[in-house]
Amino acid sequence: MLYYGMFYISFGDSYPFHEGLHTDGWVFASFIPDFTKSFFFDTYYVYRILPSFLVGVCLKLLSIDTSVHHIFIGFRILNIVSIVLSCYFFKRILILFKISLKNQLLAFVLFLLNFGVIKFPFYLPVMTDTFAMMLSIALLYFYLKNNVIGIVGCTLLLAFTWPMAFYQGLLLIALPISILPSTPLLKWQKNIIYGVSILYILLFTIVYIFIEKINSTVDFVMKIDRNLLPLSILVIVMFYF
């Protein structure tokens, strides 16, 4: 992922408008020269200030001017580091659960090979999502290890990166993990769990698309092609069986 990120920075594309910054990007970029003078700095964005603060500190330590171009590159590098650390903590979690190497590879494919990880952090890098993902995975790892210092540290960092994850961290502090004895599920128990899961997905799809019609009324939400829905449902059912 380190090599991929470096390759993307060198040869990949980026958001073609406003020097690579979209709406939120302009907000987070405005915090770097002096966040106290930013028009956008308020009681909401103070809880998302940490990634901008880190990029700003690094630019100043390296005596690099805080132009939009350098801010853009700084966030891309921060996102590469975040993804690499996410891979490390994710690997440690899989080891804790004694997942086989084959399934570890499958988990990495499912986790990494998607738009949110291999495209979004470099195409629109000036965001807090990727850094928050890394802290959240680290938080889970420290929770599984009963590392109170790590849990508290990640929770405090998330408080100024992704506020909702901060409250999740508080829950993990309040409810420490306990390893309970367990027995493997019987085949009929697994079938019930899988069946209920599939049924939930189908019911959620029907309510979301046909009853509430949320995908047709919410701005910036991609409209679902209803002609392809039967095929999608068939694939889900086939996957279940």
Side-chain angles (χ1 to χ4, degrees), residues 15 20-32 44-45 47-55 71-80 82 115-116 119-133 160-162:
Y15 186 66
L21 302 181
H22 58 307
T23 304
D24 288 336
W26 276 111
V27 175
F28 295 122
S30 70
F31 297 151
I32 291 179
Y44 172 79
Y45 281 109
Y47 298 111
R48 297 180 181 272
I49 195 67
L50 183 56
S52 298
F53 176 78
L54 292 176
V55 172
I71 291 173
F72 189 86
I73 295 297
F75 265 91
R76 278 183 158 185
I77 294 174
L78 177 65
N79 289 341
I80 291 177
S82 298
F115 175 85
K119 181 72 175 182
F120 182 78
F122 307 109
Y123 185 77
L124 290 172
V126 189
M127 295 287 285
T128 63
D129 302 61
T130 309
F131 190 70
M133 176 186 72
F160 297 97
T161 305
W162 200 269

Side-chain angles (χ1 to χ4, degrees), residues 138-151:
L139 176 66
L140 175 59
Y141 170 71
F142 289 128
Y143 179 68
L144 294 173
K145 292 287 288 184
N146 272 323
N147 186 328
V148 178
I149 295 177
I151 297 173

Side-chain angles (χ1 to χ4, degrees), residues 207-209 211-224 226:
V207 173
Y208 184 93
I209 298 173
I211 299 177
E212 298 294 335
K213 298 181 179 179
I214 295 177
N215 71 303
S216 298
T217 58
V218 178
D219 293 336
F220 308 114
V221 173
M222 185 177 294
K223 307 301 182 290
I224 296 175
R226 285 164 168 74

Side-chain angles (χ1 to χ4, degrees), residues 176-183:
I177 189 171
S178 58
I179 306 300
L180 300 177
S182 62
T183 56

Side-chain angles (χ1 to χ4, degrees), residues 16-178:
F17 307 107
H18 309 298
E19 298 182 83
L21 302 181
H22 58 307
T23 304
D24 288 336
W26 276 111
V27 175
F28 295 122
S30 70
F31 297 151
I32 291 179
D34 186 351
F35 67 88
T36 61
K37 297 180 180 179
S38 171
F39 172 79
F40 302 102
F41 188 70
D42 56 19
T43 54
Y44 172 79
Y45 281 109
V46 69
Y47 298 111
R48 297 180 181 272
I49 195 67
L50 183 56
S52 298
F53 176 78
L54 292 176
V55 172
V57 168
C58 290
L59 292 178
K60 291 174 182 177
L61 288 176
L62 297 173
S63 299
I64 299 174
D65 66 271
T66 55
S67 64
V68 172
H69 175 71
H70 291 148
I71 291 173
F72 189 86
I73 295 297
F75 265 91
R76 278 183 158 185
I77 294 174
L78 177 65
N79 289 341
I80 291 177
V81 174
S82 298
I83 292 173
V84 170
L85 289 176
S86 296
C87 293
Y88 171 78
F89 286 115
F90 189 55
K91 170 71 174 180
R92 305 309 301 177
I93 291 170
L94 295 176
I95 291 175
L96 287 176
F97 282 109
K98 299 180 180 179
I99 305 297
S100 67
L101 180 60
K102 180 180 69 174
N103 286 330
Q104 285 186 32
L105 293 173
L106 175 61
F108 269 104
V109 169
L110 294 173
F111 176 57
L112 295 172
L113 301 186
N114 57 72
F115 175 85
V117 176
I118 65 173
K119 181 72 175 182
F120 182 78
F122 307 109
Y123 185 77
L124 290 172
V126 189
M127 295 287 285
T128 63
D129 302 61
T130 309
F131 190 70
M133 176 186 72
M134 180 272 295
L135 289 177
S136 299
I137 297 171
L139 176 66
L140 175 59
Y141 170 71
F142 289 128
Y143 179 68
L144 294 173
K145 292 287 288 184
N146 272 323
N147 186 328
V148 178
I149 295 177
I151 297 173
V152 173
C154 289
T155 300
L156 292 176
L157 294 176
L158 283 166
F160 297 97
T161 305
W162 200 269
M164 185 57 67
F166 165 71
Y167 295 108
Q168 294 172 347
L170 293 180
L171 284 174
L172 297 185
I173 294 172
L175 303 171
I177 189 171
S178 58

